[in-house]
Every structure is written in structure tokens, then in C-alpha cells.
Amino acid sequence: MDELCVLAYSGGLDTSVMIPWIKEKYGMDVIAVIVDVGQKEDFESVIDKAEKLGAVEVVKIDAKEEFVKDYIFKAIKANGLYEGVYPMGTSLSRPLIASKIVEVAEKKNASAVAHGCTGKGNDQVRFEVSIRSLNSSLRIIAPVREWGLSRDEEVKYLEKKGVKIEREKSRFSIDDNLWSRSVEGGELEDPWVEPPEEAFVWSKPISKTPDTPEYITIGFEKGVPVELNGERLNPMDLITRVNEIAGSHGFGRIDHMEDRVVGIKSREVYEAPAALTIIRAHQDLEKLVLTRLELEEKKRIETTWAWLVYSGLWFEPLRKAIDAFIDYTQLNVDGEVRVKLFKGEAMVVGRRSLKSLYDEKRATYSSLSKFDQSLAEGFIQLWGLSTVRANEVRSVKS
Ligand code: ARG
């Protein structure tokens, strides 16, 4: 039997070409692995295609639950937004897909694994660092980086192999899963051009959104969402529901100038109604239940967390260490957040928690105040001591 290569198969043109290509150029039999992370896909036809293209085995793995529990939940707790805006659906899915590919390779005694990433993007970095971190003896094959074929040449190559493949319907390159939808290419490559309506699927244009606002309440326990409008839902259903509701109000579009790991700037368009709504609600709840110092430190560390995840370093020990810090802070993140969805906006309009640090009796300006205002005078004198002193001594005032 020929050597085996386990391919991360998406059903798209590139990874389809790879099945006969790996056989022809590398002399290896291909096991195609399809990992379901919630992408909208007709898996039946993807499996069928892989078989027709000559895969010796096709394995489909449902990793949705693992994706939510071990990746998305961590991202929610970390308020994970790369460069402050992108909830990293694509970035988060890659280490999970890589781990599944490695698992299959080990089980089947394969000597190589393959992915369909180009040499220009982040995904090659994420796949390869993850694969090597999990099993550094596997050979990694990345044909798209080597073959230099245009889309038309790829279609022709498959035709020569006797497989007719319909060209992808969209002019965009799309990657979607439960957490976000990434859209690249076509006219989006000109950062001046407004993303056309066809780029969006999960969110309505404002002209088609309802004329009355909708309020939703998201309940959190230990930093993760567990309830929607008082109803306990499994996390996958909760995310899907919030995605539909927020998207129906036109919320969740992102148009971003992004810095890739490989040094290229790119224009990226995303849709992530649920991710953005849930993170916004979570951030707000944290402000109610965490101390000022916890919040300040967490913010710094969140930037590092998002950078690590985006940059393909999911398996970096620092990421785990940061998660340990974050998990500790999340022990107190219980409560409910009320979000108003209306005309492309998601606004937090209410929050409550049994662990709230807000004390109305202290904060109120009414006569019910329990705050001893006379304490403030001495505090201010000490607080400003060194600033006042410096201005006394120096001839030039700051
Ligand atoms: N820029 C995003 C990331 O690196 C998304 C890449 C998505 N890929 C695609 N084929 N559209 O995470």
C-alpha cells in the first residue's frame, strides 16, 4: 500500500484539486477529513466529491460542540477581538481542525498531513504551528503554495482527471463557522469600495430591518452564556438564535483593515452578529462584577490573548497560562445583560447580577446616600500630594 496523507478537506476547489494532485506528485493515498465546525455546507455532496476525486477514505467529524466549549467559550471569556474588532471565527477553528487531522493521521498511521492554504495568509501558519505542536514527526504538504495554478487551470486539471466541478458560485473567498463568517477577495480587495450587499448573508441591510427595536436578555454563568430571554439553551442553539436575531436587525458587520501574521495588510469583511452581541454583553457584565484592577489587567492580557490566537499560537503555553488567569476572573461573571437591537446597533441597556459590585447607596446623589463625603477631603490631599509638590518647587508649571 502507498503511504497515506491526511488532508483537511473543505470541498472547495483548492482542496479538491489536491486529492488527485497528492496522489500524482507525492505518490500518496489521500484520506480526506471534513471537520464540521458549523459551516453552512452540504456535507453529503462534499463527501461524494472527495470519493469521486479518488480519496481512499473520507472521514467527517462533527466538532461543533468541541468548538463551542473549548474554543468559543474561551474567546467569550477573553472578549477575544483581534485588533479590537474581529472575533476570530476562522482563527479559532484552525487549531481544532489541525488537531482532528493529526488524530486521524495517528490512528491511520499516515506519514503526512496536507492543507489547502496559500502562502499569503494566516491559516497556513495556524495549521502548521498547531500540527507541529501536536506531532512534530508528521510531514506537512501544502500544494497550493507550490503549484502556482490559476483557478481556471485548477478546473482544467480536474477535468483532465475526469471530474467536472462547478466553479464556485461566489466571487468571494468565504470561510464560515458557528462564530463568524469571513469574506475576502473580489472587489473587496479595493479598500475604497464599499462591500456590496451580496457579501453579506447573516445580517440584513438596514433598509430591510424591523422598525421597532427588539430586546434580548442573555444570562451568563462563570463568563459563558447559558440563557436567552430566561430560557436555558444549549450553547450551540443559543449562539445560533442570537445570530439570527441580531442579524435580522442588521447588526454584526465588520469592515476591517487587518494586519496579517505574514506582514501583509488586507481588507477583511466579516459578519458576526452573535459573536459581537455576546462579547459586548459579556464585557458589560464584567464591568459590573469585576474590580477596577481586575478589569484593567484583564484588558491588557486580552490583547495578548487575541494576538496569540490570531497569530497561530493556540498551542503556545502562554495562551494556557492566560486562560488560567481569565478563568479565575470568570468565577464571578454571573448575571444577566439586556441588549437592545435596532437598525444595525446592539446596545446594552441593562445589567444585573447577584455578584454585582455596584452599590446604589454609595453611588446615589439622593439623600439616601451612605457615603461619608467628609472622607473625600483628606483623600484628595494625599492623592495629589506629589503633583502639587512638583508644581510648588518647579518654576515652569506642568
Ligand atoms: N483574515 C481572517 C483570518 O485570518 C480570515 C481569513 C478567511 N479566509 C477566507 N478564505 N476567507 O482569520
Side-chain angles (χ1 to χ4, degrees):
M1 197 174 92
D2 278 330
E3 271 185 79
L4 283 173
C5 174
V6 175
L7 164 68
Y9 186 60
S10 71
L13 184 58
D14 287 336
T15 52
S16 294
V17 173
M18 281 168 66
I19 298 176
W21 182 276
I22 289 171
K23 182 79 201 163
E24 187 181 354
K25 304 278 169 186
Y26 295 89
M28 290 188 197
D29 281 334
V30 174
I31 299 178
V33 176
I34 302 153
V35 184
D36 178 1
V37 283
Q39 64 272 45
K40 306 261 173 316
E41 190 63 79
D42 172 2
F43 289 110
E44 293 285 298
S45 76
V46 173
I47 293 169
D48 195 49
K49 209 189 297 180
E51 281 166 354
K52 283 209 182 89
L53 287 160
V56 291
E57 201 180 330
V58 184
V59 183
K60 190 202 151 210
I61 299 169
D62 182 350
K64 293 197 288 291
E65 208 172 307
E66 198 174 337
F67 188 42
V68 173
K69 297 230 161 93
D70 296 343
Y71 294 79
I72 293 177
F73 274 6
K74 288 189 166 64
I76 295 171
K77 295 190 217 177
N79 297 317
L81 294 171
Y82 178 63
E83 294 179 331
V85 297
Y86 164 41
M88 303 190 290
T90 300
S91 328
L92 287 160
S93 70
R94 279 10 188 190
L96 172 58
I97 296 170
S99 73
K100 296 296 164 202
I101 300 304
V102 170
E103 244 172 69
V104 174
E106 288 172 348
K107 205 158 93 198
K108 306 279 176 185
N109 254 320
S111 55
V113 292
H115 64 73
C117 308
T118 75
K120 288 184 153 187
N122 300 314
D123 287 337
Q124 52 173 348
V125 181
R126 297 170 184 146
F127 274 126
E128 293 184 27
V129 175
S130 300
I131 290 162
R132 288 217 179 94
S133 299
L134 294 167
N135 185 337
S136 58
S137 67
L138 285 167
R139 176 177 177 193
I140 300 173
I141 300 176
V144 180
R145 235 164 24 197
E146 302 162 5
W147 65 32
L149 296 177
S150 69
R151 304 239 113 194
D152 289 331
E153 287 163 339
E154 289 181 39
V155 174
K156 280 209 196 92
Y157 174 83
L158 285 181
E159 273 167 14
K160 263 202 284 171
K161 297 278 154 202
V163 185
K164 238 189 130 36
I165 217 166
E166 24 17 292
R167 290 214 50 156
E168 272 134 89
K169 295 136 250 143
S170 175
R171 60 189 187 276
F172 305 116
S173 159
I174 294 158
D175 179 67
D176 70 323
N177 58 47
L178 271 175
W179 201 226
S180 65
R181 184 170 174 274
S182 311
V183 194
E184 296 175 319
E187 66 264 45
L188 300 175
E189 286 178 357
D190 179 350
W192 183 250
V193 171
E194 180 178 356
E197 212 33 59
E198 306 92 86
F200 301 104
V201 173
W202 291 0
S203 58
K204 286 234 173 79
I206 303 298
S207 58
K208 297 214 174 101
T209 61
D211 290 323
T212 43
E214 181 167 356
Y215 292 83
I216 58 169
T217 301
I218 305 175
F220 289 87
E221 269 173 29
K222 294 196 170 54
V224 297
V226 292
E227 273 181 17
L228 180 63
N229 298 329
E231 185 190 349
R232 224 175 162 85
L233 291 176
N234 85 47
M236 223 147 54
D237 293 342
L238 189 145
I239 291 169
T240 311
R241 281 296 295 139
V242 174
N243 214 43
E244 284 162 8
I245 300 171
S248 75
H249 288 275
F251 177 68
R253 297 183 177 188
I254 302 157
D255 180 354
H256 179 45
M257 284 310 303
E258 184 165 300
D259 283 293
R260 288 191 190 160
V261 186
V262 293
I264 296 172
K265 273 197 190 291
S266 68
R267 195 278 188 90
E268 302 281 334
V269 170
Y270 301 105
E271 276 184 303
L276 295 185
T277 306
I278 291 169
I279 289 175
R280 196 169 278 192
H282 176 262
Q283 265 170 334
D284 190 277
L285 181 59
E286 285 188 322
K287 287 194 254 180
L288 186 70
V289 297
L290 298 186
T291 67
R292 174 159 80 185
L293 292 178
E294 282 178 314
L295 286 168
E296 279 173 10
E297 191 52 41
K298 186 163 182 286
K299 205 170 202 157
R300 277 190 281 272
I301 234 166
E302 281 171 359
T303 311
T304 308
W305 192 92
W307 180 85
L308 287 169
V309 172
Y310 181 85
S311 306
L313 303 179
W314 179 264
F315 291 99
E316 158 63 45
L318 176 61
R319 199 268 307 157
K320 273 206 155 175
I322 292 178
D323 275 333
F325 166 86
I326 290 179
D327 278 341
Y328 184 74
T329 65
Q330 299 302 295
L331 294 176
N332 294 303
V333 186
D334 299 341
E336 286 179 311
V337 181
R338 224 154 80 87
V339 183
K340 177 181 177 178
L341 295 152
F342 188 53
K343 297 286 171 206
E345 211 10 288
M347 205 159 44
V348 173
V349 292
R351 69 290 286 161
R352 64 181 175 197
S353 168
L354 293 172
K355 294 184 171 165
S356 169
L357 301 182
Y358 173 77
D359 181 352
E360 201 168 346
K361 292 205 185 67
R362 284 217 170 95
T364 183
Y365 286 107
S366 82
S367 56
L368 297 169
S369 174
K370 282 266 158 44
F371 186 80
D372 180 356
Q373 298 195 37
S374 69
L375 292 174
E377 194 187 335
F379 164 74
I380 295 165
Q381 287 201 19
L382 296 181
W383 173 250
L385 197 62
S386 85
T387 304
V388 172
R389 178 70 184 145
N391 281 291
E392 276 170 2
V393 169
R394 294 179 189 172
S395 52
V396 181
K397 303 276 179 234
S398 304

